[in-house]
């Protein structure tokens, strides 16, 4: 087994191990506690064990952003959709563990109770991510500019990767791309697939021990491991 094949096998095994643990508990709905923060430091962590089927919350102002730390257990099944009441002109964003943009999507109308969904097209690795919902057009930015395209200038019904001028860096602030904000507020429900609660420290340690044992076993079975032995 060459190094590339070994790495592919271990990544696949790690994803399977995480999915197995996540699937051992019943799916549960999560709820925004207070007002979920807008930065990595004060994002609401969806903690516990098992898959998360939904997150319910409220956008309370025209500049509100709710940011949640989640765990993508199965990237191939990743899916996030949103509905709101009343209809909010909203946007969905996904960031990696360091705050770099992964994918975003605007809805397909000026005010739409059914947001466009985020899919697995841009999500390839299991792990911790940050999921955000905002009122249009409150969007992530940094010193270089917006992380994602300005959806006033492109087809807002599509998913976009971080191709804006600030796309190479983590976000550091939220800005109104048009210079204003929308007055719409209301409740929302995010429906999730392929997502679990962020593993608690004890679970993370257990997974690490299990994966380390699996990697050792695979190395011993590889041609290089047999030669070294």
């Amino acid at each position: 087994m060459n190094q590339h094949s070994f790495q592919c096998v271990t990544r696949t095994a790690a994803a399977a191990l995480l999915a197995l643990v996540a699937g051992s508990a019943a799916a549960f709905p999560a709820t925004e506690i207070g007002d979920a923060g807008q930065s990595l430091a004060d994002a609401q962590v969806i903690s516990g064990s098992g898959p998360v089927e939904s997150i319910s919350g409220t956008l309370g102002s025209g500049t509100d952003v709710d940011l949640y730390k989640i765990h993508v257990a199965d990237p191939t099944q990743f899916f996030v959709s949103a509905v709101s009441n009343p209809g909010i002109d909203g946007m969905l964003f996904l960031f990696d563990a360091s705050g770099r943009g992964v994918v975003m999507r605007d809805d397909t109308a000026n005010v739409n109770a059914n947001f466009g969904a985020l899919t697995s097209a841009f999500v390839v690795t299991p792990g911790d991510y940050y999921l955000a919902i905002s009122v249009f057009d409150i969007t992530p930015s940094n010193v270089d500019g917006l992380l994602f395209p300005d959806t006033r200038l492109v087809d807002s019904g599509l998913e976009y990767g971080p191709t804006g001028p600030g796309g190479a860096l983590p976000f550091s602030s939220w800005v109104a791309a048009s210079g204003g904000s929308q007055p719409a507020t209301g409740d929302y429900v995010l429906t999730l697939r392929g997502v679990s609660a962020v593993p608690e420290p004890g679970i993370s340690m257990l997974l690490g021990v299990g994966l380390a044992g699996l990697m050792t076993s695979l190395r011993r079975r590889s041609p290089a491991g047999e030669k070294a032995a």
Side-chain angles (χ1 to χ4, degrees):
M1 183 184 295
N2 60 35
Q3 183 67 19
H4 175 71
S5 297
F6 177 75
Q7 291 174 344
C8 290
V9 169
T10 53
R11 282 197 297 266
T12 302
L17 188 59
L18 287 167
L20 179 62
V21 172
S24 64
F28 69 93
T31 303
E32 181 182 18
I33 300 173
D35 184 16
Q38 301 188 9
S39 69
L40 302 189
D42 60 7
Q44 179 175 327
V45 180
I46 305 300
S47 59
S49 62
V52 183
E53 63 182 16
S54 63
I55 302 174
S56 301
T58 302
L59 290 175
S61 72
T63 59
D64 195 10
V65 179
D66 289 343
L67 187 65
Y68 300 96
K69 186 176 183 180
I70 61 173
H71 187 85
V72 176
D74 186 350
T76 65
Q77 296 297 315
F78 177 78
F79 181 85
V80 179
S81 64
V83 296
S84 63
N85 182 29
I88 300 171
D89 187 6
M91 308 174 77
L92 294 173
F93 302 90
L94 188 72
F95 307 91
D96 68 15
S98 67
R100 287 182 170 83
V102 176
V103 61
M104 66 83 63
R105 192 166 188 174
D106 191 3
D107 56 21
T108 56
N110 289 333
V111 176
N112 190 347
N114 295 286
F115 292 26
L118 300 181
T119 71
S120 61
F122 288 79
V123 184
V124 297
T125 305
D128 293 343
Y129 290 81
Y130 289 87
L131 175 65
I133 178 172
S134 74
V135 173
F136 180 85
D137 57 353
I138 306 302
T139 188
S141 182
N142 55 41
V143 293
D144 290 339
L146 301 181
L147 272 67
F148 297 97
D150 185 343
T151 55
R152 297 171 302 158
L153 309 176
V154 296
D155 186 345
S156 63
L158 302 178
E159 291 181 281
Y160 291 96
T163 57
L169 299 175
F171 79 92
S172 57
S173 62
W174 293 86
V175 300
S178 63
S181 64
Q182 299 290 335
T185 60
D187 299 331
Y188 60 82
V189 177
L190 304 175
T191 300
L192 312 173
R193 289 204 306 264
V195 172
S196 71
V198 178
E200 296 175 350
I203 295 176
S204 298
M205 184 179 298
L206 178 62
L207 290 174
V209 171
L211 183 57
L214 178 61
M215 292 175 67
T216 300
S217 177
L218 288 172
R219 285 197 182 98
R220 287 175 177 172
R221 294 181 183 181
S222 69
E226 293 171 358
K227 184 176 180 180

